[in-house]
Amino acid sequence: MRKLLLVIFMLPMISQAQTLEECQQAAERNYPLIRQYDLISRTASLNVENIAKGWLPQVTASAQATLQSDVVSWPEQVKGMYQQLGIDMKGLRKDQYKIAVDVSQMVYDGGTIRSQKELALLQGAVEEAQTEVSMYQVRKQVNEMYFALLLLDEQIRLNSDLQELLSSNERKLASMLKRGTAAESDYNAVKAERLGVSQQATNLQSQRQSLLTLLSTFCGIQVSKVEKPAAVVPTQTQPTQRPELKLVQAQLSFADAQEKLLDASLKPRLSVFASGFYGYPGYNMFEDMMNRNWSLGGIIGARLSWNIGALYTRKNDKTKIQLQRDRAMNSRDVFLFNNRLDMVRQQNDMDRHRKLMAVDEEMISLRSSVRKAAESKLAHGIIDVNGLVKEINAENAARVQLSVHEIEMLKEIYNLKYTINN
C-alpha cells in the first residue's frame, strides 16, 4: 500500500514539464566543454606556482674535464733556482678537472616574477572567457529545439481537435445515412478526410518523439514534455552583458599585463651567489704547481646585471601590444553593431507577429462561423460534403497559423533575451 501511495505521489513529478530555463541549465551542465573551466583553472594555478619558484635558490651542478694546449708555468731561470734549493716546481698539468655546485639567489628582479604571475592568471581568464562564449551558444541550440517542440505540440493539439470535429461530422453523416438523408459517398469522404488527418497525427508524433530524444540527449536529462514560457518581453535597462564583451575586457587586461612585463624586463637584477668545487687546479696556483693535488675551493658574492637588449625591440613590442588592444576594441565594436541589429530585427519580428496574431484571431472567428453555417447547410442539403470539408480545413489552417505566429513570437522574445543576456 505504501509503495502504491509513493508511486501515486511521484506521478505528477514524473510527468512535470521541463521549463526552458531548466533545459538550458541542464544542457550547460551536460555539455562536455564545461570541463574546460576546471582544466583552465588548474593549468593557471600550476603556471603561477612554477613562476613563483623563481624566488627559490637556483642550484646548478656541473663536472668538466679539459686538456689545454698550454698552462701557466715558471720561467726556466726560476725553476732552476728552486731546484738548487731542492724544490721541484712541476708546474700545472695540462689535463684539468672540476666538479662544482653553483647556488644563486635572486634578491631583486625588477618586478618580473610578479608581472609573469599576473600574466599567467590573465591568460587563464582569457581562456575562461573564450570558453564562456562557446558555452553561451548552447542556450541558442536549446531554444531552437525547445520552440520546435512547442510548435509540434500545438500542431498535435490542433490535429486532435480537427479529428474530433471530423469525427463529429462523420457520426452525423452516419446517422443521416441510416435515415436515407445522406449519400454513402458523403460519409466516406468525411471518413477518408479524418483518416488522412489521423495519418498526419502519426507523422507529427514521430517527429515529436525524435525531437524529444534529441533534446533529452543534448540536455542529459529525460525531457518528457515542454512548457510554454511566459511572453514577457525583456527590457534593456543596462548595457548588454554578453560573454563576448567579457572576453574583450579580459584581452585588454592581458595586454596591460604584457606591457607591465615589458617594463619590468628593462630593470636591473640583483642576486647573490655561492660556488664550490672540488678539482684540479684550485685557486692557489702556486700550491697546485708544486703538488698537483685535487682540492676544495669556493667563492661567494653578489651580482648586479642589467640587460639593455630589450631597448632594441621595445618600441616595436609596445606597438604590437597596442595593436592587440586595437583588435580587441574593434571586435567589441563589431559585436555591439551586430548585436544592435539583432535586437532591432527581433523587436520588429515581435511586432509583426503580434499584428498577424490579431488578424489570425479575427480570421478564426470568421472561419468558425462559416464552418458552423456549412454544417447546417449540409444538414439541410444545401451544400455537399466537399464544401463542408473545405470550410473545416480552412478553419483549421487559420488556427494553425495563429499557433505558428504565437510560437514564433515567443521564440523571438527569448531570442531577444539571448541577445541581451537578460
Side-chain angles (χ1 to χ4, degrees):
M1 183 65 182
R2 291 179 60 188
K3 290 183 179 180
L4 179 60
L5 290 175
L6 182 62
V7 171
I8 294 173
F9 176 74
M10 291 183 63
L11 277 175
M13 298 175 61
I14 296 172
S15 61
Q16 184 178 4
Q18 277 75 31
T19 65
L20 178 59
E21 289 75 14
E22 289 172 347
C23 288
Q24 288 175 343
Q25 293 169 5
E28 288 177 354
R29 291 192 300 268
N30 184 58
Y31 200 60
L33 189 63
I34 198 170
R35 293 196 291 271
Q36 285 283 352
Y37 286 112
D38 181 58
L39 297 175
I40 291 170
S41 176
R42 290 167 59 187
T43 301
S45 297
L46 290 173
N47 288 336
V48 170
E49 287 181 16
N50 287 343
I51 293 169
K53 290 176 181 177
W55 287 112
L56 296 177
Q58 305 299 307
V59 181
T60 303
S62 62
Q64 71 175 34
T66 60
L67 180 64
Q68 300 180 195
S69 61
D70 204 357
V71 293
V72 177
S73 62
W74 294 102
E76 292 297 328
Q77 295 84 347
V78 175
K79 289 174 66 175
M81 291 173 56
Y82 277 115
Q83 287 175 352
Q84 291 176 5
L85 296 174
I87 301 173
D88 185 12
M89 299 297 291
K90 301 177 181 178
L92 293 178
R93 292 171 53 178
K94 292 185 177 181
D95 55 320
Q96 300 182 3
Y97 309 91
K98 180 186 289 187
I99 300 173
V101 176
D102 299 314
V103 180
S104 176
Q105 173 62 58
M106 182 70 69
V107 177
Y108 174 72
D109 71 338
T112 298
I113 291 178
R114 183 179 67 252
S115 298
Q116 287 176 339
K117 288 167 64 177
E118 183 181 0
L119 196 66
L121 288 173
L122 289 173
Q123 176 65 41
V126 170
E127 293 177 2
E128 284 186 358
Q130 290 172 334
T131 303
E132 189 175 352
V133 170
S134 300
M135 286 295 298
Y136 189 72
Q137 295 171 0
V138 170
R139 298 188 190 182
K140 192 169 186 179
Q141 294 176 271
V142 172
N143 284 359
E144 293 293 331
M145 289 184 281
Y146 196 92
F147 286 103
L149 265 174
L150 281 177
L151 184 56
L152 278 172
D153 285 345
E154 284 295 307
Q155 290 176 330
I156 290 170
R157 180 182 64 80
L158 292 173
N159 181 279
S160 177
D161 291 344
L162 180 57
Q163 286 190 64
E164 182 59 35
L165 183 59
L166 289 169
S167 295
S168 175
N169 281 280
E170 185 180 343
R171 288 192 295 271
K172 290 178 183 177
L173 284 168
S175 177
M176 292 170 64
L177 182 60
K178 288 180 180 179
R179 297 196 304 269
T181 58
E184 186 176 358
S185 59
D186 291 340
Y187 170 79
N188 291 337
V190 174
K191 184 177 181 180
E193 187 69 22
R194 179 182 61 78
L195 291 174
V197 173
S198 176
Q199 194 176 45
Q200 292 175 10
T202 302
N203 187 40
L204 289 171
Q205 286 288 356
S206 177
Q207 292 180 39
R208 182 181 185 274
Q209 187 57 47
S210 297
L211 198 51
L212 270 176
T213 303
L214 183 61
L215 182 60
S216 299
T217 303
F218 192 77
C219 296
I221 59 175
Q222 184 59 46
V223 181
S224 56
K225 58 180 178 179
V226 292
E227 181 181 291
K228 188 182 294 185
V232 180
V233 180
T235 56
Q236 190 178 4
T237 57
Q238 57 184 359
T240 300
Q241 299 295 317
R242 284 285 293 269
E244 289 85 349
L245 298 181
K246 295 180 183 179
L247 174 59
V248 171
Q249 188 56 51
Q251 290 171 335
L252 292 175
S253 298
F254 183 74
D256 293 340
Q258 284 181 306
E259 196 162 33
K260 288 181 182 179
L261 182 59
L262 191 63
D263 294 336
S265 67
L266 284 175
K267 295 179 181 179
R269 286 157 174 72
L270 176 64
S271 62
V272 294
F273 64 91
S275 178
F277 74 92
Y278 177 65
Y280 173 84
Y283 290 127
N284 191 337
M285 301 290 286
F286 295 106
E287 182 70 23
D288 292 334
M289 286 182 177
M290 296 175 60
N291 297 324
R292 294 185 174 180
N293 293 328
W294 284 39
S295 61
L296 291 171
I299 184 172
I300 61 172
R303 181 182 295 111
L304 180 66
S305 61
W306 190 8
N307 182 9
I308 62 173
L311 286 171
Y312 304 149
T313 60
R314 178 175 174 79
K315 182 178 179 181
N316 288 343
D317 290 338
K318 288 182 73 70
T319 302
K320 286 167 61 179
I321 293 173
Q322 185 56 45
L323 289 174
Q324 289 182 26
R325 291 195 186 98
D326 293 342
R327 289 173 58 188
M329 295 291 286
N330 180 255
S331 296
R332 184 183 67 180
D333 293 341
V334 171
F335 170 77
L336 289 174
F337 180 81
N338 291 331
N339 192 259
R340 284 192 295 269
L341 289 180
D342 288 340
M343 285 190 286
V344 170
R345 179 184 57 77
Q346 287 156 359
Q347 289 281 6
N348 290 337
D349 285 345
M350 283 189 292
D351 293 339
R352 177 170 59 87
H353 288 307
R354 283 195 193 95
K355 293 175 183 178
L356 291 172
M357 286 170 62
V359 176
D360 288 336
E361 288 174 353
E362 186 177 359
M363 288 177 61
I364 289 172
S365 178
L366 294 172
R367 291 293 185 186
S368 180
S369 63
V370 171
R371 185 261 305 166
K372 290 176 182 177
E375 289 176 338
S376 178
K377 290 178 181 179
L378 179 65
H380 293 84
I382 301 175
I383 63 171
D384 60 10
V385 74
N386 292 329
L388 174 61
V389 170
K390 178 181 176 183
E391 297 304 333
I392 290 174
N393 287 333
E395 180 188 0
N396 180 70
R399 294 183 184 278
V400 169
Q401 283 287 44
L402 175 61
S403 295
V404 170
H405 292 150
E406 182 185 6
I407 299 301
E408 287 293 334
M409 188 189 72
L410 278 174
K411 183 179 177 182
E412 290 302 331
I413 288 174
Y414 283 85
N415 281 344
L416 180 60
K417 285 177 175 283
Y418 173 86
T419 300
I420 64 178
N421 193 16
N422 183 288

